[in-house]
Each structure stands twice: as C-alpha cells, then as structure tokens.
Amino acid sequence: MAAAPTAQHLIEKHRPTLDQALETIHSRAYWSPYAEHPKAYGEDGSLSAADGQAAFDALRDRRFELDQPGTDDWTGGEVSPYGPALGITYPHPDVDVLLPAMRAAIPAWRDAGPEARAAVCTEILARINAMTHKFAQAVMHTSGQAYMMAMQAGGPHAQDRGLEAVVHAWAEQTRVPRSAHWSKPQGKRDPVDLDKQFTAVPRGVALVIGCNTFPTWNGYPGLFASLATGNPVVVKPHPRAVLPLALTVQVAREVLAEEGFDPNLVALAAERDGEGLAKTLALRPEVRVIDYTGSTEFGDWLEANARQAQVFTEKAGVNSVVIDSTDDYRGMLGNLAFSLSLYSGQMCTTPQNLLVPRDGISTDAGPKSYGEVVADLAAAVEKLLGDDARATALLGALVNPGVRERLEAAPSLGEVALASRTVAHPDFPDATVRTPVIVALDGAKPDAEAGYLSECFGPVSFVVAVDSTEAAVELLRRTVREKGAMTVGAYTTDADTERLIEDACLEECAQLSLNLTGGVYVNQTAAFSDLHGSGGNPAANAALSDASFVTPRFRTVEVRRPA
C-alpha cells in the first residue's frame, strides 16, 4: 500500500516564506515574497515579458486541456477588450460527475494536515509567480487592464492576497494542537487519562465565482483560503474572463498531482453563454462554501438561496471622499485625479462621490470655493491624461458595454465639470478607451440622489455640494449604511473633524484613508497589512483577509480515547 502523501519537501522549502508571512500579518509591516517590477522576471526559470507574450499567443485558437472528469462539451468565446477574439475553448462540466469526484479527493487532503496544505498552496503560488508575465497577458486581454496594472495587480499583488489567505488559514487551523494527553487527578484513585486527537475538517466543495475585472486578485483569496482549509475548489470564472483562472486551475492540478494528491481538488467549471451555471452550482448539496465578487443583485440571491453553504460576498458599494481642508492642495488634487483615473474607475475601491462644503474649503493655497475645487480637480484629471500614451497606460480599456453606457448617461445627472473623451490606443485600435467624466451635483436637490446614491461603476464621479463638513459626514454615514462602501477617503487639517470622520467610519464599519497626497491611493490596498473591505457594511460580508474569512471554512473535530 502506497504511503500517504505528506508534501514534506514542500514544507521544508516554503516554511521560511510561511513563517515570514505569519509574522507579517501580526506586525502589519510591508512585505511581499513576489517581485512587482516586470524586469524581475526572466531568470531562475521565470518567464520574461517576451516569453509571457509567446506563451499567451500559444494558448489562442485552441482547446485548453485540463483532463478533469465529467467533461461533456467544450465552450468559450472570450473577446479581448482590446479587440481580438481569444479563440480558446474550455472543458464544460457535467456537474453530476465532477462534484462527486471532487468530494472523493477530500480524505487524503484532510489527513495531510494544515502545514502540508499550506506548503502545497504556497508551491502553487510560486509556480504561478514564475509565469507572471503569461498571467499578465491573460488578465489584460480579459479584464481590459493596461499591461503594467495587469502584470502587478493580476500577478504579484493577487499572489500576495492568495498567500495571505493561506497563512491565515494555517494560523487558525493550528490554534488547537493536533493531539494532546489529558490527565485528571482522582485523589487516591488512579487518574483518568485520555489521548485526544483534533482534526481540522473541511466543510465540503467550495465554489469560487469569478469576476470580469479582477479575476485573480478577487479570485485567489477565496480559492486559497478554501484549499488550505481542506476543501476542494470548483472555479466558475466569469464568461468574459476565463483564461486567468483556467491557468490557475491548470497549475494547481499539476502541483497536486506531483505531490501525490488527487488533482480533482481543484477544477474548472466554464459555462456556455447564458447558461447560469453559477446558480446551478451554488444550490448543489456538495457545495458548502461560496466566494463571490460581482453585482449586488446576484450576491443577495446567493445569500438568500444557497442556504447549505457559507457564502462570502463582495458586492456593489458607493465610495465617498469627504473634503474639508488640506495642507497640500496640489498633492490632494493629484492623488484624487489618479484615483479616479486608474483602470478607468473599474475598481470596487474607486471613489465615486466627493463631498465638498458649498462654502468651500481652506487649503495651503488659500481658501477655495466649491466651484474652484471642482474646476481644479477637473484640470488635474485633464493634465494627468493629456498625453494619449500615458492615458492608455493608466486607463486601460472599458471592460464591457455596460460601463460605456453608464459613462454616456452620467452627464444627464448634473452639470458636467469634465467631459469624457475618447482616446485612441496606439497598439489596439479596436479598444474602447475613455477618460473619466466629472459631474457637479447639488446635494440639497432631491433629484440629485439618483446619481450619487447609486453605484455608477466605471469612470464616473460626482462632486457633491453639501451644506457643511458635518453634513458631508452625515451623508457619508447614510451612504455607507444604505449602499455600503469598500473604501472611504477624507481630507482635513482639523483634529476634531478628523475624529468626527473616524468615528463615523468606526460606527458604520468602513475602511478609512486620511489625507493621502503622495504615492498611496485610496483605491489600493497592500496584502498582509491592509484589509480589503470590512465585512461590516452592505458592500461586502467579509474582509480580505482576516480570521473570520477562513475560520468558517473548517471545523475542528475531536476523537478521544483512553490512554
């Protein structure tokens, strides 16, 4: 009989990385094991940018083979936001065959223990990291991110978030020892002695429902949290962004098989156009954990209907910035301009509503009226994106027609302070590249709420005139409570105002960034240090990543015996 797999050599190989990650989630200092500069790749077995391009090109116009059970057809249809069709087809699953095969893989993976699972997951991430430029092409041509962003956010930053989930899972599963000897004194009688065994037991098959805009960054936390806690993971990508997650599944299956585990611990579930496979999978009794990023409507449906599963959702939100005062007016405008422009505002953390007192703000450049703030912000965005080459590198392409439709409808909601313009992409003439639109609204007018109290995902922002900073904070509270927010920003030089805003965010459970004027932006977070979302407002019911993100994925089961 073959020995059970232990992944011992991977434990030894990756223990320093896991130990450093564990230390960092406690210190919250800066650290990453994955280089974010593109020139760091190309040696030591990793792919260079040219290699990544060639590897991506080799995938196009053919089947993506995975050799997983239950394949009953082939499906595909991805078209790059930059123009070309990818021409890749993926295995379509017969879930009645695939899911039982995945469940059968659980016992050996469960029995391997938390440390072995963490090491295998870390090896998967290391293999993915070596292919970062290949993944960058896949992310770029499915999400519309510009190449540098696709390389960084879709590569090392996503890998950071995956490893962060792994180390949280490892830490929480090992809080209880795997075994213990228990002896209770009985006075003159012999003590009662028991040997106790504690096993972290997975809930069952986990389902990851991928998103179009950040398939790896949003997909990896749930995928690796579930896998590290012993759950098989079926990955259902967004139909327009299959390739990045298909590559992930391919690497995971290869590593698992090499280490003697069943590769069916990770599988792909690509769907036909309009099939609604996510709903089918979400209601299957085998599926006990669901991770989802996307619309509020479907997130609410999952929470209401997938009652057999632990459901983690990141849904829509309306992110606000309170502008009270600043001692670096130019820096504030530059920081906001970048935040509004990055990836054409197609981020769940992009600010939408900028709340400005109608009587203006105080700055190091003198008092600025509401109108001046609006005009100066528009000028800052215009200057940032004035050069088309720089603009395309920052904006990327619009990911789908719905974003363009919202962008084109936004001017009807108020007074246009900055009109959107079309930018020609030098390399991809079919790409839809648009600069942001900025709309000025009077918050006192009831009809203005139709704009600023609804999420307008994409390159659309509203500068809302309010009666005072206090009124801005009250509107912030209402927005977070009713609509949710992944991020909140604020600018103030007054300690009492800062405390007022901080209290509002603590009470409404929203992550706050204060007075950012340099190279850190409200819509960016750092793994191992920053929490993405809070889990405490309607935008998301979980935070990436904390203990509550991993502990519901397993239970600890005890077996005790007389010693």
Side-chain angles (χ1 to χ4, degrees):
M1 184 176 179
T6 64
Q8 187 60 42
H9 75 110
L10 291 185
I11 293 173
E12 295 169 2
K13 176 182 178 181
H14 294 299
R15 189 61 188 257
T17 299
L18 289 166
D19 285 343
Q20 182 62 61
L22 184 62
E23 179 182 328
T24 307
I25 64 171
H26 293 301
S27 71
R28 295 285 160 176
Y30 169 76
W31 175 74
S32 172
Y34 309 119
E36 65 178 2
H37 197 286
K39 292 184 178 179
Y41 298 91
E43 299 179 358
D44 301 323
S46 64
L47 298 180
S48 67
D51 294 336
Q53 176 74 64
F56 169 73
D57 291 340
L59 293 169
R60 295 180 59 187
D61 300 315
R62 64 183 59 199
R63 286 183 171 181
F64 192 99
E65 301 283 353
L66 281 175
D67 191 30
Q68 60 186 36
T71 297
D72 61 12
D73 198 0
W74 294 83
T75 185
E78 293 156 295
V79 176
S80 169
Y82 291 95
L86 301 193
I88 304 171
T89 56
Y90 304 92
H92 178 275
D94 178 342
V95 296
D96 290 328
V97 175
L98 180 60
L99 293 181
M102 298 184 76
R103 278 188 55 82
I106 290 177
W109 187 236
R110 175 199 66 211
D111 295 346
E115 189 175 40
R117 291 194 293 268
V120 171
C121 288
T122 306
E123 176 66 16
I124 294 168
L125 285 162
R127 301 269 185 100
I128 290 171
N129 176 253
M131 303 177 190
T132 286
H133 279 293
K134 181 179 180 179
F135 275 80
Q137 292 286 343
V139 171
M140 175 182 175
H141 286 289
T142 53
S143 72
Q145 294 176 33
Y147 186 77
M148 183 60 76
M149 184 175 188
M151 181 263 153
Q152 292 182 335
H157 297 172
Q159 297 151 20
D160 280 339
R161 284 297 185 188
L163 182 61
E164 178 186 48
V166 169
V167 76
H168 274 287
W170 179 44
E172 296 305 319
Q173 290 173 99
T174 52
R175 287 192 184 279
V176 177
R178 295 195 73 173
S179 62
H181 178 75
W182 185 85
S183 181
K184 181 180 179 180
Q186 297 279 1
K188 294 181 178 180
R189 293 178 292 168
D190 292 337
V192 177
D193 291 316
L194 295 177
D195 286 329
K196 302 185 179 185
Q197 175 187 338
F198 302 92
T199 302
V201 174
R203 291 180 63 98
V205 177
L207 167 64
V208 172
I209 303 174
C211 69
N212 194 175
T213 48
F214 287 89
T216 56
W217 199 100
N218 279 109
Y220 283 7
L223 191 165
F224 284 100
S226 286
L227 191 61
T229 50
N231 303 277
V233 184
V234 58
V235 179
K236 206 296 294 182
H238 191 285
R240 287 192 289 264
V242 182
L243 183 57
L245 292 176
L247 288 168
T248 303
V249 169
Q250 184 180 61
V251 174
R253 291 177 64 86
E254 288 173 354
V255 172
L256 287 162
E258 287 175 14
E259 295 306 313
F261 296 103
D262 190 334
N264 295 324
L265 285 162
V266 182
L268 186 74
E271 65 180 325
R272 303 184 187 98
D273 186 39
E275 181 181 5
L277 183 57
K279 281 191 174 182
T280 300
L281 288 167
L283 298 181
R284 292 283 301 207
E286 300 97 331
V287 170
R288 303 300 303 278
V289 179
I290 300 174
D291 287 276
Y292 167 76
T293 300
S295 71
T296 296
E297 181 182 14
F298 191 59
D300 289 346
W301 184 91
L302 287 169
E303 291 170 356
N305 291 280
R307 305 301 294 273
Q308 86 290 351
Q310 177 73 42
V311 180
F312 298 91
T313 57
E314 181 184 316
K315 301 177 288 190
V318 176
N319 303 315
S320 301
V321 178
V322 175
I323 303 178
D324 168 75
S325 54
T326 179
D327 58 8
D328 184 1
Y329 187 58
R330 182 178 178 183
M332 180 190 79
L333 293 173
N335 193 279
L336 288 172
F338 188 93
S339 298
L340 299 179
S341 302
L342 184 62
Y343 185 33
S344 299
Q346 298 170 122
M347 303 173 69
C348 62
T349 49
T350 300
Q352 176 178 299
N353 296 340
L354 311 181
L355 311 180
V356 182
R358 67 179 73 255
D359 292 335
I361 66 172
S362 62
T363 81
D364 59 316
K368 298 291 181 180
S369 68
Y370 166 81
E372 287 176 313
V373 173
V374 174
D376 291 345
L377 177 62
V381 173
E382 205 164 24
K383 180 180 179 182
L384 177 68
L385 303 175
D387 177 75
D388 282 1
R390 182 179 185 184
T392 56
L394 187 59
L395 295 167
L398 299 190
V399 69
N400 61 53
V403 176
R404 186 181 69 249
E405 290 166 7
R406 286 189 292 273
L407 172 64
E408 293 173 348
S412 66
L413 299 172
E415 180 182 347
V416 176
L418 178 65
S420 175
R421 70 180 180 89
T422 299
V423 180
H425 199 292
D427 300 318
F428 300 100
D430 294 329
T432 301
V433 184
R434 299 285 296 272
T435 63
V437 62
I438 298 177
V439 179
L441 295 176
D442 187 341
K445 294 182 178 179
D447 59 349
E449 291 187 3
Y452 66 76
L453 277 184
S454 297
E455 186 192 36
C456 197
F457 184 77
V460 178
S461 58
F462 302 106
V463 187
V464 184
V466 293
D467 290 338
S468 64
T469 297
E470 290 74 16
V473 176
E474 284 307 307
L475 179 54
L476 167 66
R477 284 181 177 273
R478 178 188 173 193
T479 304
V480 176
R481 188 180 305 127
E482 295 180 7
K483 303 297 180 179
M486 294 300 293
T487 57
V488 172
Y491 292 89
T492 183
T493 58
D494 180 75
D496 291 337
T497 300
E498 182 175 314
R499 185 63 198 178
L500 182 69
I501 297 166
E502 186 176 346
D503 284 345
C505 290
L506 291 173
E507 290 166 13
E508 302 301 335
C509 212
Q511 311 292 14
L512 172 64
S513 296
L514 283 164
N515 298 319
L516 297 182
T517 57
V520 175
Y521 304 94
V522 68
N523 43 354
Q524 296 174 316
T525 58
F528 309 106
S529 184
D530 295 323
L531 293 169
H532 176 73
S534 69
N537 69 65
N541 69 4
L544 306 179
S545 289
D546 60 11
S548 66
F549 185 65
V550 298
T551 53
R553 299 170 193 266
F554 71 95
R555 292 291 181 262
T556 301
V557 174
E558 176 186 358
V559 177
R560 54 186 185 172
R561 303 176 176 87

